[in-house]
Amino acid sequence: MEPKIWINKITFSDNTTIEFASNDIIVIVGPNNSGKSASLKDASNFLKTPNTKSKVIKSIEFSKSGSDSDLIEYLESNSKKEFTTNPEPYYNGMGYRVYGGNVKYWWNNISAGIDNLSIVFSKNLTTEERLKAANPASNIKLTTESPKHPINVLQKSDKLEKQFNQYFKQAFDLDLIVHRNAGNEVPLYVGTAPKLGKGQDRLSESYQIELEKLDLLHEQGDGMRSFVGVLLNAFIGSQNLLFIDEPEAFLHPPQAKLLGKMLATDLPSNTQLLLATHSLDFLKGLLEGSSKNLKIIRIQRNGKINNVNTLNNSEIDSIWSDSLLRHSNILDGLFHTDVIICESDSDSRFYSAVLSAVNEKKGISNSDTLFIQCGGKHRIPTVIKALKKLNVPLSSICDFDVLNDKNPLKDIFEESDGEWNDIEKDWKIVKEAIESKRPELEVNELKEEIDGIFDTISGKIMPKEKISAIGKSLKKASAWAHAKQVGKLFIPSGQATQAYERMIQKLKSKNVYVVESGELESFVKSVGNHGPKWVNEVLTKDLINDFEIELARKFMEEISRK
């Protein structure tokens, strides 16, 4: 049995304990300064000693497989022995050098700290380590020497070299080629691979001359080098426990997503991977590749405590199967301190701009609030449910007409941890009071207005603007059309208004906010139009001082305080 060490259990500073399998891909997300990078650093340090002082992690439990004899057999097969004056040899392998006289003791006392064995089984793949991995490797005698570097593994295996070439070509549309006869070094070249002519092979002098006209990988940009460095260590490095902070560093979004997908799809089954990322694209790549052995941990700092929440495989599947979540920026909420959910993109833009104005006036420049739109109020419950599982602080903003129907109001309130029974009675009172008021158009008036529209049509095809006009007329047949324009002012005085106030306070207590003036456009009535055109014009105003925007500023200030 090949020996192996992995993280079995981590207890964080909030006393949350999470268990892991030996082949899990563990990705840590969260806002800036929440403890993502510190978690990886702490976990790596715990390998060397269980007494590591840590602010984020309280303790780590490691597991192992294999015997001390398996360990010796592994070192014999994968290392070059170095004999000194000591009775036992040193084992020099890919990224490690350990004394054979100690390894059995270390292995059998692993609970006291892995100590020097940590370099045999684990690697903290820092930014510098990733970039260095693209440098030429020292040449080895292929038939007798063990690889000293992952590039030596490519040097020995045509199959692996072709596989890595495919990875690189997907990311950069260029070939990645091993130079097998460059002297003491084994460099990697990038470009369009020379074609083998008749009678040529890759050791032919004429082929090597053409190869050396290409660019050397280690002289290329950080993106290419980091990409190759991650894959070399993850796929053919000797260590089975890897820590990688921001694997997406230096990569453009499409390449970051591709890297995530490659890791999730092709990571060797004996490897455990711990990642910290700030990239939604990289996270989406992981999700697209596989969720069978993926664990997402969200971490957020609360004073001196780091609160953590995790998604299991079934929860990841349910989120990723929703097309709204897959093809939007909603999962970006995992990387922010809090999220405000809006019905539309116009709503999101306006409220975000107003909150920025409020913060600017207060001298706050580092707001980490994310505004997301979900394509209508009926999708708000889905978004709340997804982000709530990772304890992302949420607020929802809905137009006044969310009170028109039981759903989605009931779903929004319940997903926000409210009890529908707490507001149902008051909601019915408000709804009945609004619907008892005379609509703008009664039946005869509606018929007359629509007939008038038809009278203006001369052709056989219904013009688009006439269809729109009829739609507007139909809305006038409901009292809710008027209520959406003026908001709570449309509610009759007395019992209905009292019920409304009770209901609104209970909604706010669960971070559900109703636009009490009606709808988005009701905040600035001096501007005409609707939706994007309205927002574009309003955003040219002085959002900090304009008196007409005061109501919107107070609205966003209330939400941000909560």
Side-chain angles (χ1 to χ4, degrees):
M1 176 187 293
E2 186 170 299
K4 180 178 177 179
I5 292 174
W6 68 94
I7 294 175
N8 179 46
K9 189 183 296 183
I10 298 179
T11 300
F12 291 87
S13 62
D14 66 347
N15 292 319
T16 298
T17 298
I18 303 174
E19 296 185 359
F20 306 103
S22 62
N23 64 339
D24 275 344
I25 298 175
I26 305 154
V27 55
I28 302 175
V29 300
N32 289 330
N33 197 36
S34 60
K36 299 187 296 295
S37 298
S39 297
L40 259 65
K41 184 178 179 181
D42 290 347
S44 179
N45 288 338
F46 266 103
L47 275 167
K48 300 175 182 177
T49 171
N51 298 319
T52 294
K53 292 183 179 180
S54 166
K55 294 182 179 180
V56 183
I57 294 176
K58 280 192 172 182
S59 64
I60 289 184
E61 181 180 298
F62 297 97
S63 292
K64 66 178 182 179
S65 61
S67 64
D68 54 11
S69 298
D70 293 325
L71 175 59
I72 294 296
E73 183 179 344
Y74 172 81
L75 293 172
E76 290 279 347
S77 301
N78 293 278
S79 313
K80 181 179 180 180
K81 288 192 286 188
E82 174 190 343
F83 291 94
T84 62
T85 56
N86 293 309
E88 298 292 337
Y90 280 88
Y91 291 102
N92 294 314
M94 199 184 302
Y96 62 84
R97 180 177 183 268
V98 292
Y99 177 54
N102 292 340
V103 292
K104 285 190 176 184
Y105 172 80
W106 289 332
W107 183 258
N108 292 321
N109 291 274
I110 196 171
S111 60
I114 298 173
D115 199 22
N116 290 333
L117 280 184
S118 63
I119 60 175
V120 177
F121 294 99
S122 74
K123 189 167 189 176
N124 187 1
L125 199 57
T126 63
T127 301
E128 183 181 358
E129 288 286 337
R130 300 202 294 268
L131 297 177
K132 282 171 53 180
N135 292 341
S138 298
N139 211 337
I140 62 172
K141 189 174 181 180
L142 297 179
T143 55
T144 58
E145 287 190 58
S146 299
K148 300 176 182 177
H149 189 286
I151 290 177
N152 294 140
V153 181
L154 297 184
Q155 182 186 8
K156 296 182 71 169
S157 172
D158 289 342
K159 181 179 179 181
L160 279 176
E161 184 190 1
K162 288 179 182 178
Q163 182 181 353
F164 265 74
N165 181 44
Q166 290 173 355
Y167 291 145
F168 192 79
K169 198 158 191 172
Q170 287 183 65
F172 302 102
D173 199 27
L174 294 169
D175 290 309
L176 182 70
I177 312 109
V178 178
H179 194 325
R180 285 175 165 76
N181 196 25
N184 293 329
E185 293 185 332
V186 186
L188 297 176
Y189 282 82
V190 298
T192 301
K195 293 183 179 179
L196 288 171
K198 187 175 181 180
Q200 279 186 328
D201 59 30
R202 285 187 293 173
L203 296 179
S204 299
E205 181 181 6
S206 55
Y207 175 85
Q208 293 176 39
I209 290 173
E210 292 302 312
L211 176 60
E212 291 175 358
K213 292 179 181 179
L214 303 181
D215 295 321
L216 287 160
L217 173 64
H218 65 276
E219 295 178 353
Q220 302 310 299
D222 290 346
M224 283 187 178
R225 294 158 62 205
S226 179
F227 183 89
V228 172
V230 170
L231 293 186
L232 283 175
N233 281 277
F235 289 172
I236 56 179
S238 63
Q239 289 80 10
N240 69 272
L241 176 54
L242 290 180
F243 304 88
I244 311 179
D245 190 13
E246 296 187 56
E248 73 279 358
F250 313 118
L251 297 176
H252 293 296
Q255 294 160 346
K257 183 178 180 181
L258 181 63
L259 178 62
K261 185 176 181 179
M262 287 175 175
L263 290 173
T265 303
D266 295 332
L267 190 71
S269 60
N270 69 330
T271 300
Q272 189 181 63
L273 196 58
L274 276 81
L275 309 162
T277 182
H278 296 79
S279 170
L280 176 61
D281 295 289
F282 179 76
L283 179 59
K284 284 186 173 181
L286 289 172
L287 289 165
E288 192 172 305
S290 174
S291 63
K292 293 179 181 178
N293 60 329
L294 180 64
K295 277 190 171 65
I296 300 176
I297 298 174
R298 185 177 189 272
I299 186 168
Q300 182 156 335
R301 188 186 302 277
N302 183 13
K304 294 184 178 180
I305 301 298
N306 302 84
N307 297 112
V308 299
N309 295 83
T310 184
L311 283 182
N312 59 36
N313 293 344
S314 62
E315 290 169 334
I316 292 171
D317 285 337
S318 67
I319 290 174
W320 197 238
S321 62
D322 189 293
S323 59
L324 169 69
L325 301 179
R326 180 179 289 205
H327 300 294
S328 73
N329 73 326
I330 287 171
L331 287 176
D332 224 349
L334 297 175
F335 303 95
H336 290 262
T337 303
D338 55 280
V339 170
I340 296 178
I341 305 169
C342 305
E343 293 185 26
S344 69
D345 182 61
S346 297
D347 293 37
S348 181
R349 289 175 59 207
F350 175 73
Y351 295 129
S352 176
V354 172
L355 181 59
S356 294
V358 169
N359 288 335
E360 185 177 345
K361 192 170 185 178
K362 292 180 178 180
I364 300 173
S365 59
N366 61 341
S367 174
D368 194 34
T369 299
L370 175 69
F371 287 79
I372 55 179
Q373 66 89 16
C374 54
K377 58 179 67 68
H378 285 84
R379 300 308 303 271
I380 291 177
T382 302
V383 178
I384 295 174
K385 184 177 182 179
L387 294 177
K388 189 175 66 174
K389 287 177 180 175
L390 281 174
N391 201 29
V392 179
L394 299 169
S395 298
S396 306
I397 299 177
C398 309
D399 286 345
F400 188 82
D401 64 348
V402 74
L403 306 177
N404 185 7
D405 294 306
K406 183 176 180 179
N407 288 312
L409 179 63
K410 179 176 181 289
D411 292 336
I412 293 172
F413 190 59
E414 290 183 340
E415 288 296 346
S416 302
D417 298 325
E419 294 287 340
W420 178 243
N421 290 338
D422 290 345
I423 65 170
E424 183 176 19
K425 183 178 178 181
D426 287 331
W427 168 74
K428 286 181 177 178
I429 292 173
V430 173
K431 179 175 171 65
E432 290 171 3
I434 290 176
E435 293 175 350
S436 68
K437 297 188 73 172
R438 184 186 186 279
E440 187 174 348
L441 295 179
E442 292 186 338
V443 175
N444 291 336
E445 295 167 324
L446 176 64
K447 182 177 182 302
E448 183 178 340
E449 184 166 304
I450 292 178
D451 286 342
I453 295 172
F454 275 102
D455 289 341
T456 62
I457 302 171
S458 57
K460 294 183 178 180
I461 304 299
M462 187 75 162
K464 184 178 179 180
E465 65 272 13
K466 300 301 180 182
I467 296 175
S468 177
I470 291 174
K472 290 179 180 179
S473 296
L474 290 171
K475 288 182 179 180
K476 295 177 184 178
S478 168
W480 281 100
H482 192 191
K484 186 175 181 179
Q485 293 177 346
V486 300
K488 68 177 183 180
L489 295 178
F490 194 74
I491 300 173
S493 301
Q495 183 186 18
T497 294
Q498 294 170 16
Y500 171 80
E501 293 296 343
R502 290 192 299 267
M503 175 181 63
I504 285 297
Q505 291 307 313
K506 289 176 181 176
L507 287 169
K508 287 180 180 179
S509 72
K510 300 302 179 183
N511 295 323
V512 179
Y513 293 87
V514 175
V515 180
E516 297 188 63
S517 57
E519 58 184 340
L520 181 72
E521 291 78 6
S522 65
F523 282 114
V524 184
K525 293 186 177 180
S526 64
V527 174
N529 295 315
H530 192 82
K533 291 183 178 179
W534 179 89
V535 171
N536 290 339
E537 187 171 345
V538 170
L539 293 188
T540 64
K541 292 178 171 289
D542 182 355
L543 299 181
I544 296 177
N545 300 305
D546 192 307
F547 177 77
E548 193 177 10
I549 302 174
E550 179 63 17
L551 182 63
R553 288 195 291 267
K554 288 183 177 179
F555 183 59
M556 293 312 303
E557 191 170 7
E558 179 184 11
I559 295 175
S560 64
R561 275 201 311 268
K562 187 68 179 297

